[in-house]
């Protein structure tokens, strides 16, 4: 399973990349706003830090303008992945980029049928938004499970990128179902390590080790 970081904050990206745990980055217009930076500059910086795919989202909604923005974003770096809305205009651009061998991420996926369309268009990634479904009392994880079944039925190569992750439990459940990737805020990635018994056990081992009076090496 691959880990992507859902942020446009380069400090956070650098910190987690140094741990060797980041396979890619996803951004969206809200995350660019939060970064307070210009999209061209921040995406370029992220692409210089991370070797894997960096999703940059178009802001246009009609075919001509999506194409214009896509051509601009593609020039930023080789590892740019174009994030497109799951609409027919977005799918049309997706198909063209797939034929050109460029990476695509179909975003704002809320149904299995939308994911099926993304796979038919040859998308590299499809992003089902778990947390936003849970927010309206639907079952985000059930969507991941449905998409997994459909993609396996037909051996679609589109990867399931579980997005809108709100808890460490979301990560575990997505992994159990077989999502290919989880994109999460850096705070959630940091929470994955937590267990009070790990902290307590380490404390006891260190105290006992001190009592032995020994040194390793
Ligand atoms: C995915 O690519 C999106 O950027 C992100 O996961 C959305 O998460 P949110 O619902 O917490 O905004």
């Amino acid at each position: 399973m691959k880990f992507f970081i859902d942020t446009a904050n380069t400090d956070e990206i650098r910190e987690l990349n140094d741990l060797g745990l980041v396979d890619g980055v996803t951004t969206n217009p809200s995350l660019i706003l939060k970064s307070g930076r210009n999209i061209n500059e921040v995406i370029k910086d992220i692409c210089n830090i991370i070797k894997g795919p960096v999703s940059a989202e178009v802001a246009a909604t009609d075919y001509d303008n999506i194409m214009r923005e896509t051509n601009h974003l593609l020039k930023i770096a080789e590892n740019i992945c174009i994030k497109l809305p799951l609409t027919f205009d977005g799918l049309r651009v997706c198909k063209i980029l797939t034929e050109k061998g460029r990476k695509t991420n179909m975003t704002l996926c809320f149904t299995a049928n939308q994911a099926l369309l993304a796979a038919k268009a040859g998308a590299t990634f499809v992003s089902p938004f778990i947390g936003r479904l849970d927010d309206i009392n639907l079952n985000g994880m059930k969507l991941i499970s449905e998409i997994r079944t459909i993609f396996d039925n037909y051996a679609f190569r589109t990867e399931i990128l579980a997005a809108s992750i709100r808890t460490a439990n979301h990560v575990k459940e997505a992994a159990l179902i077989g999502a290919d990737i989880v994109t999460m805020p850096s705070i959630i990635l940091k929470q994955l390590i937590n267990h009070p018994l790990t902290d307590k056990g380490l404390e006891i081992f260190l105290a006992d080790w001190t009592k032995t009076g020994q040194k390793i090496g």
Side-chain angles (χ1 to χ4, degrees), residues 6 26-28 31 83 105 107 127 129 132 163-166 183:
D6 202 26
T26 50
T27 67
N28 63 38
L31 293 171
K83 204 169 175 191
N105 176 358
T107 191
S127 291
F129 276 38
R132 293 194 195 186
S164 188
I165 294 288
R166 302 276 162 77
T183 188

Side-chain angles (χ1 to χ4, degrees), residues 110-146:
F110 293 98
T111 71
N113 279 335
Q114 290 178 328
L116 183 54
L117 287 169
K120 290 283 292 172
T124 317
F125 310 114
V126 64
S127 291
F129 276 38
I130 295 171
R132 293 194 195 186
L133 282 169
D134 289 356
D135 287 346
I136 57 163
N137 285 325
L138 293 174
N139 188 339
M141 228 25 94
K142 187 165 169 255
L143 174 61
I144 301 288
S145 171
E146 288 176 354

